[in-house]
Amino acid sequence: SESQGRSALAFVNLIFLMFQLKIVDDLKEKTEIECTFFYGDTRYVTTIKDDTGARVLYTQCSDTIKQHVLEKGEPYFAKNIDIAGQDYYGYYIPVEQNGEVVAMIFTGKPSSDLTEAINSFFTFILTVGVIIIIIAVIAIFGIAMGIYQKATEVKYDLNLTYMAQNIVIGENGELLSSEILQRIEDYIT
């Protein structure tokens, strides 16, 4: 129909403008996120490149993405999308013109980038956890040594008290004379 023809022409003009202004490249440079503009289910503008460095153009999205975004007009998040042999996590958003979904925008990152970020985060958390455990063990050891030293002092004091009682009272239960006590005191000091 004439309406669809004008929509397609408007979109082609938009794509030409995007190529000229390098909008997608600037977006990727600023956000480090891949960006693709689809007309219908076909990729026309993208930052995604293949192994040779060429842009991945004129490829179609999967039937699932087409159904959700183009037919139902719903945004769609997908994991492990295969684009040019590389897996991506990505989000697709419908683009409407005159109340009709005619295009979509993809933004995403390679799965390997996200896996790497998650692994780095878990490594960091694990390292912090180990450091906290080491600090806790050292603190607990210090507290235990303090308690042990106090217990040893109390035990020593109790032994002295017991010995003093035995000396003062004597073996037969008789009090020692003050003369003997004075000699003991002189000996100790």
Side-chain angles (χ1 to χ4, degrees), residues 84-103:
Q86 186 169 3
D87 287 337
Y88 285 82
Y89 282 95
Y91 196 67
Y92 292 82
I93 301 169
V95 175
E96 291 185 15
Q97 186 174 23
N98 299 325
E100 182 182 342
V101 176
V102 294

Side-chain angles (χ1 to χ4, degrees), residues 100-117:
E100 182 182 342
V101 176
V102 294
M104 63 182 157
I105 299 171
F106 162 84
T107 55
K109 279 190 150 286
S111 300
S112 59
D113 289 0
L114 295 174
T115 302
E116 199 175 292

Side-chain angles (χ1 to χ4, degrees), residues 1-184:
S1 87
E2 186 179 324
S3 165
Q4 288 176 336
R6 275 189 263 135
S7 294
L9 182 59
F11 192 79
V12 168
N13 287 335
L14 177 63
I15 290 171
F16 180 75
L17 177 63
M18 285 185 224
F19 271 124
Q20 295 299 317
L21 299 176
K22 299 181 184 179
I23 290 174
V24 291
D25 291 331
D26 290 345
L27 182 64
K28 180 179 179 182
E29 184 180 318
K30 291 177 184 174
T31 64
E32 297 181 9
I33 295 175
E34 301 289 352
C35 182
T36 297
F37 290 91
F38 287 83
Y39 182 71
D41 66 349
T42 305
R43 186 182 318 272
Y44 282 97
V45 178
T46 188
T47 57
I48 300 173
K49 296 180 180 178
D50 63 18
D51 294 338
T52 67
R55 292 181 193 268
V56 178
L57 298 172
Y58 313 114
T59 56
Q60 277 73 40
C61 66
S62 72
D63 289 338
T64 303
I65 293 167
K66 184 177 179 179
Q67 179 185 8
H68 282 277
V69 182
L70 296 175
E71 294 172 11
K72 294 181 180 178
E74 303 170 342
Y76 183 73
F77 175 76
K79 297 187 255 182
N80 298 322
I81 309 158
D82 183 348
I83 302 173
Q86 186 169 3
D87 287 337
Y88 285 82
Y89 282 95
Y91 196 67
Y92 292 82
I93 301 169
V95 175
E96 291 185 15
Q97 186 174 23
N98 299 325
E100 182 182 342
V101 176
V102 294
M104 63 182 157
I105 299 171
F106 162 84
T107 55
K109 279 190 150 286
S111 300
S112 59
D113 289 0
L114 295 174
T115 302
E116 199 175 292
I118 290 168
N119 289 342
S120 294
F121 176 74
F122 281 126
T123 301
F124 172 75
I125 293 297
L126 182 62
T127 302
V128 169
V130 168
I131 290 170
I132 289 172
I133 289 171
I134 289 170
I135 291 170
V137 166
I138 290 170
I140 290 169
F141 182 75
I143 291 169
M145 287 305 295
I147 291 171
Y148 176 76
Q149 287 175 343
K150 281 293 182 188
T152 303
E153 289 173 15
V154 168
K155 180 180 174 187
Y156 180 74
D157 289 345
L158 289 174
N159 283 341
L160 285 179
T161 303
Y162 177 75
M163 287 171 40
Q165 285 175 345
N166 284 339
I167 290 172
V168 172
I169 296 175
E171 291 178 10
N172 300 331
E174 300 172 0
L175 290 176
L176 299 177
S177 67
S178 59
E179 183 181 309
I180 294 174
L181 289 174
Q182 185 61 45
R183 277 194 231 157
I184 293 171

